[in-house]
Amino acid sequence: YLTAKGSFPPRTWSSQLFAKLLLDGSQSCKDVAIAARQWTLESIQQHAKDPKGSDDPHCGGEWFEAFLRAEHRDIYDDIDLSDPTVLLRKKYMKSDSNGRKHNIGQIKIPSCKDGFDEILDGFNTGKASTRSEHIVTPRVEVMAKILIDIWMSNLVDFSTVLKIAEVVSESKNDKIVVVCYMGAAHTRAVSDFYTSRMGFKKTAFIGKVDWDEKEPHTLKLPSNLWNLPLLFK
């Protein structure tokens, strides 16, 4: 792994951000760091317990789509996959070949603990007599990818909220505008942290969460986003 420059003892970049705010920052920085850690661990635990049921209904579906491809390939090849979020919401998906319906609502993704147990079982050298028996099945492979992606996706949000706190704490100005250019799932997560955990107030939302497939993503920005000092009036 990559270590953060100047960190001692050597830490990852996200760990160094956390340590800097916790050990060297003001009380407000420490509050953000502690709250961010708890918020992230709770999110990881929730997603790890039920990857399908806890997935983002507006931007998710990729984990379940990947699981279908690995474990239910007959269904995967026979349904409309153009919008993965639909797979989370619908109980039945129409067959592309015969018009019948596949009951995808009853298909669940195992918890990350159960998935990890399957991964370990797949590499259990005590059960395999030859090297050829150490085969990573599609199911084991996708479970490993889902487990890693849950951690990494949450790590992005964790690092973002910490970096925002670091930028603000190092600024000499009292009025600061922070621009986060990220995907919708991550920007919503960061907004949720600062409003639900840190007491910030959400005053406006521009755009939409769900867009129609052929709808142009055109935003009409209010005057205070063209002239940023107006945000503080």
Side-chain angles (χ1 to χ4, degrees):
Y1 58 89
L2 300 177
T3 58
K5 183 178 180 180
S7 62
F8 186 81
R11 297 184 176 98
T12 62
W13 181 71
S14 58
S15 294
Q16 177 64 6
L17 269 176
F18 175 80
K20 181 180 179 180
L21 294 175
L22 189 65
L23 302 177
D24 303 329
S26 63
Q27 184 59 47
S28 59
C29 287
K30 295 177 182 178
D31 292 342
V32 171
I34 294 172
R37 178 176 61 184
Q38 184 62 30
W39 172 69
T40 302
L41 290 175
E42 289 175 4
S43 178
I44 290 174
Q45 185 179 39
Q46 181 183 18
H47 284 98
K49 186 177 181 180
D50 183 6
K52 180 186 177 184
S54 64
D55 202 0
D56 190 324
H58 303 292
C59 302
E62 288 86 357
W63 298 333
F64 186 52
E65 180 182 352
F67 185 76
L68 285 179
R69 184 179 187 275
E71 188 68 5
H72 302 273
R73 190 56 185 262
D74 56 330
I75 297 177
Y76 176 88
D77 290 335
D78 195 38
I79 60 176
D80 180 8
L81 301 170
S82 59
D83 185 356
T85 62
V86 173
L87 303 178
L88 298 176
R89 300 193 299 264
K90 286 197 173 184
K91 184 176 181 180
Y92 294 95
M93 289 292 290
K94 184 179 179 180
S95 167
D96 288 339
S97 59
N98 56 34
R100 299 174 66 181
K101 292 183 178 181
H102 296 287
N103 187 354
I104 64 170
Q106 67 179 358
I107 301 175
K108 307 296 182 182
I109 302 177
S111 69
C112 284
K113 182 183 183 306
D114 292 339
F116 190 67
D117 289 342
E118 289 187 33
I119 294 170
L120 293 181
D121 187 62
F123 285 94
N124 189 342
T125 55
K127 292 185 178 181
S129 58
T130 64
R131 183 180 180 127
S132 62
E133 293 181 43
H134 295 282
I135 299 175
V136 179
T137 65
R139 179 184 173 91
V140 167
E141 181 179 0
V142 77
M143 288 305 304
K145 290 180 178 179
I146 292 173
L147 187 156
I148 293 171
D149 196 55
I150 286 174
W151 276 88
M152 294 307 298
S153 179
N154 281 278
L155 189 61
V156 170
D157 300 332
F158 174 71
S159 301
T160 302
V161 299
L162 294 183
K163 188 62 179 178
I164 290 174
E166 181 192 46
V167 169
V168 172
S169 67
E170 293 178 349
S171 175
K172 297 180 180 179
N173 298 317
D174 293 331
K175 299 176 180 178
I176 305 167
V177 176
V178 179
V179 179
C180 295
Y181 187 74
M182 308 169 72
H186 292 298
T187 53
R188 286 210 324 277
V190 172
S191 174
D192 173 71
F193 170 77
Y194 276 104
T195 54
S196 65
R197 300 296 177 113
M198 303 309 300
F200 281 67
K201 183 179 179 181
K202 182 185 292 185
T203 59
F205 179 84
I206 312 301
K208 299 170 61 176
V209 175
D210 294 313
W211 299 80
D212 292 334
E213 183 178 354
K214 297 182 179 180
E215 184 180 6
H217 294 197
T218 304
L219 302 179
K220 184 178 181 180
L221 300 180
S223 58
N224 55 15
L225 290 182
W226 290 101
N227 186 2
L228 296 182
L230 295 177
L231 286 170
F232 303 101
K233 292 185 177 181

